[in-house]
Amino acid sequence: MLSRLGQRSKHTLVRGIPLVSATQSTRLVLSAGLRTKKPMNPNVLLASRRLAHSNAFTPLDTFTRRHVGSGGEEVDIMLKQVGVKNMDELLAKSIPPSIRSSKALAVSKGMTEKELLERLKSIASKNKVYRSYIGTGYTDTVVPNVILRNIMENPAWYTQYTPYQPEIAQGRLESLLNYQTMVSDLTGLPIANASLLDEGTAAAEAMLMTWQAGNRKKNTFIVDINCHPQTIACLKTRAEAFKINVVVTDIFNYNFDEHKKQLCGALIQYPNTHGTVQDYENLTAAIHGAGGQVAVATDLMALALLKAPGEFGADIALGNSQRFGVPLGFGGPHAAFFACKEEHKRRIPGRIVGVSRDAHGKPAFRLALQTREQHIRREKATSNICTAQALLANMSAMYAVYHGPEGIKAIAQRIHNLTQILAEGVRRSGHTISNDGAYFDTLSIKVESAATVCEKALALGINLRTINPQTVSVTLDESVSKKDVSDLISVFAKDDKPINIDDAATILNNGLNAFPSQLKRTSAILQHPIFNSHHSETEMLRYIHHLQNKDLSLVHSMIPLGSCTMKLNATTEMIPVTWPEFANIHPFAPVDQTAGYRIMLDELEKDLEEITGFDAVSLQPNSGAQGEYAGLRCIRAYHESRGEGHRNVCLIPISAHGTNPASAAMAGMNVVIVKCDSEGNLDMADLKEKAEKNKDKLAAVMITYPSTFGMFETGVAEACEVVHKFGGQVYMDGANLNAQIGLTSPGEIGADVCHMNLHKTFCIPHGGGGPGMGPIACKEHLQPFLPGHPLVKTGGQNAIGPISAAPYGSASILPISWAYIKMMGGEGLTHATKMALLNANYMASRLASHYEILFTNENGMCGHEFIVDIRPFGQYGIEAIDVAKRLQDYGFHSPTMSWPVTNTLMIEPTESESKIELDRFCDAMIGIRKEIQQVIDGKLPKKDNMLKSAPHSLEIMMADKWDHPYSRETAAFPVPGLRERKFWPTVSRVDDAYGDRNLMCTCPSPEEYLDQNE
C-alpha cells in the first residue's frame, strides 16, 4: 500500500495508475495504516504531511479514480499475472504498432465532480423552460415522484441489461408485460411488443410490416397528409432503400380501388396532427377491400376516451407513450408502443415478453419468439431493431399501474374538459376553431396573424405551434392548471374584451364530449388486477421494490457481457438527466430557448470528433443499429452524389453482429459475406477477392474493431486500403470502441464513418433493454449527407432524411456522455482504455489453465474481451447455457452466450470493475469447471448435476423434497462468500419452447396462473 505514494503524481499517469493528488496519496497511506498491524514509518508520515500542506488546494473529488476499479498494487499484481512488466508492454503486445496513435488525446483536463455539476448547471440555466403546447406527438406530463425516484433515478432499474437471462430478470419482465397489456387494452389489439425507439421509426416499422404481409410485391404505401411531419419524413427515409412508393395525400379522397394491385397499406393519425378526431371505420374497410393493411398512429391518453383502433378494424396501432409519465427530454428517450393483430405476431418488430413456465411448472416470464429478431434473420430482416426503450416503457407501465383505469380516464377527461373550456374562450374572442366538435386535446385556431399570436404567447412564457400564417394549434396536457388555461385564453382575447375563464367553463354544463358520439369509447380498459391494486404511494413503492428485488443489475455484481460494455453509470453523470432545464424542454421548442442544450451538444460533438479521429458528428441516431443504418445511408448518398448510385454491395465478415447485415439490407445494399480464418482474423485473401470481384458495385465494408472475436487484428489498415482501392467506403462498427479510445481511433485506422454506442463506451446505462444512443462520426466527404430533420435544422447541406423522430434522438440522456468525457479528460479516458485491456487479459490469464481461451494474438493477448470455449464439454452433456445458468447461483449474470461462436462464452469486464470483483468472477468460473470435472469423472450424472439443474431458486431450496445427487449447500452456496451476500433467482430454468408454443403476451389472469400450476 505504501508504494502507492511513490507511484502517484499530480499530473501524470504512471504504469496505468489513476490520477490522484499527493493529498489523496497521504489519505490512502493513512487509511492503510489504520488497517495494518505494522507501525507506520514516521519519516513517510512526515513527508506525507508536507506534501499535503503543499497541495492543500488540490481537489479531492477527482473522477477517474472513482470510475476505474483498480489501482496501485492491484495493477502490479494483474500485470504480473498477465506476464508483462508494465502497461506499456501490455499495449505493445496487444495492439498492432501500425495503428497506435502518435499523439495524446486532445480532450480537456478532467473536471472534478463538483466542478462538473457547477458547469453543467450554468449551461442548463441557458435553456428556457416555457410552457409548451406545441403537441406534434409530445406533451408535458406529471411524472409521479414515486416512479421518478424509484425507477428513473434508481440504479437497480437503470443498470439492468436486456432480460435475455429471464431467471434473474423476472421483475422487469413482469413490468414490461404490464406495458404490453396496457398497450393491448388501450389499442384494442391482441399483440403488443415491449416498446420501440420512437413514433416515427415505429411508423416505418409498420410500413415494412404491411409490405412484408404483401409478400414484398405491393410497393405503394399511403400516408395521410395529416400525420405528424416528423413521422412522414421518417417513413420516406426508410422507404427509399426498399423502393416503396410513399404517397402523402388527403387519405379520404384517395381512390384505393384504382391502386389495389400495388397497395400494401396506409397510415392514419388518430387524432391527427391538427387535433381532429375522425371516424375511420369506413375508410379502414375500403383499404381492406383494396387488399391493404391499416396502421394507426395514435395517442394512449386519447384512447381512454376514444374508440380503440382495433375496434374500427385497424391492423396495427403505434405511437409514443411519453405522456404516460415520461419527461419531454427535448425529444427523448421515450417508449414507442406497437400493437397488431394476431396474424402479424411473427412479423412484429422488437422484443415481446411472453409467459412461459420454469423447470418445475411455475409461471415465468421470458422474451418470446426470439427467432424473429434481426441478429437471427440477418440480411433477411426488414428491421434492424437491436434495442428498445425498456426503462421508459417500465415508467409508462408503472404510470398505468399507479393511476389505474379510473385514474387514467379521469386524467384524460380533465384534459378534454380543459380543452373544451379553452375552445369556448377562443370562440368568445371571435376566433374560429378548424376542428371544432372533433377534438380531444388539440385545437387548430384560425387567427389573423399566427406570428402575432405566437409573439403574444411567448411574452407569457408559452409556446404554440404555427400551422400556417393564419392558423395556430394548442395541445393541452395533464400538467395544465386553471391559470394556464386562463393565460391561453388571454393570448387569443381581444385587448378590449377579456374573457372570464369561469364563464367559459360553463360549456361543461352540457355534459358532452367535443368529438363525434360514435367515437366515444364503450369498452373497458386496464381490467387486470395489476392495474387495480397499487394506487397509494405506499403500495406503489412496495410493488416497484418487489419487482426490483427479482432482478440482478450492476448494483449486485459485474455483468461481464462481451460486446456490451457494462461499465459504471456514475451518479454524477446521471443526476442532470432529470433537471427541469433538460427534462422539460419540447423537442421543437424555439432555438433561442435551447441555448444550453446547443452548448452541451456542440461540445459533445467536438469531443467525439477528437476521440474518433473524424471531422463531423450527428447525434440523431437513438440506438446503435440506427447509427449503423445512418452511416450506411450516408455512404449510399455519397456514391449517388458522384453518379455511382449503382454501388450497392456491402462486404461483411461472417463474425459480424446480426445488426450489420440487417442494417445493410435496410440501406438497400446487397450483402456479401467475407470469411474469417481459423484464428478469428478477417480472411484478407477472401476480402481482396470479393472486393475486386465486386469492384464496379462495391459500396462499403463493415468492420468491427477490435473484432467480434476480441482481438486487434493486424490487417485492419490493409483491409481499409483494399476497399478504398476498389471504390468502397469503410464503415466501422463502434461496438468495441471502448478498447480504442486514446490508443487508436477509427479515423486513424482508415475508416470513413462509424457509430458510437453511447450506452456502452460513454456510460449511458442500458436500462434493462434501452435507452441507448448511436451517434455517427464521419470524415469530411460524408459530412454533407448527415441526417436532417423537417422541423429543426440539423445535418449537412445534402442531408439524408431523418433517422429518428426527434432531431437529436434521445437528447436528455446526452448529458451523461458529456459528463463522462468532461470528468475523465483525455488522460483519464486513455487510462480507462488501458485498464479495460488489462482487466480482460488478467481474467483470460487466470482462466486459461481451466478453459481453452479462443482467438488470442501471436503474443497470446486478447483485446478488451475474450472467449471461453465450452464446446469440449459437450460430449459430457454440458453446454454454454448450463454454465450461464450455474453462474446465476454464484451471483453473476452470464457472459455473452454462443456468440460469435456457438457454445462459447464471451467475457468483457470493462475498466470499472475492481480486481476483487474480477477475482470473484474468475473463482466462480473455476468452481464451475471443477463441477464439470465431477461430471467428466462420472461422479455426477450427465442429466442430474448442479449445472443442468441450475439455477436453484429459493423456493426449490426450501422444498421438502430433494432428490439430487449433490447437496442443497452445494447448489446454493458453492463459495463461502455467498452466505453473506446472495442473489436468489426467483424461478428455476425457464422453458423457452413452451413459451413459444403457448404464446401469451399480456398479463395472465389469476385463473390462467392456476391453470399453469395444475
Side-chain angles (χ1 to χ4, degrees), residues 850-851 873 924-933 936:
H850 304 276
Y851 298 90
F873 311 125
M925 287 292 291
I926 293 168
I928 291 172
R929 178 63 184 85
K930 292 177 181 177
E931 294 170 352
I932 294 172
Q933 191 62 42
I936 294 173

Side-chain angles (χ1 to χ4, degrees), residues 804-823:
S804 305
Y808 300 101
S810 297
S812 69
I813 55 176
L814 291 175
I816 300 169
S817 298
W818 179 91
Y820 171 66
I821 294 170
K822 296 300 182 188
M823 288 193 291

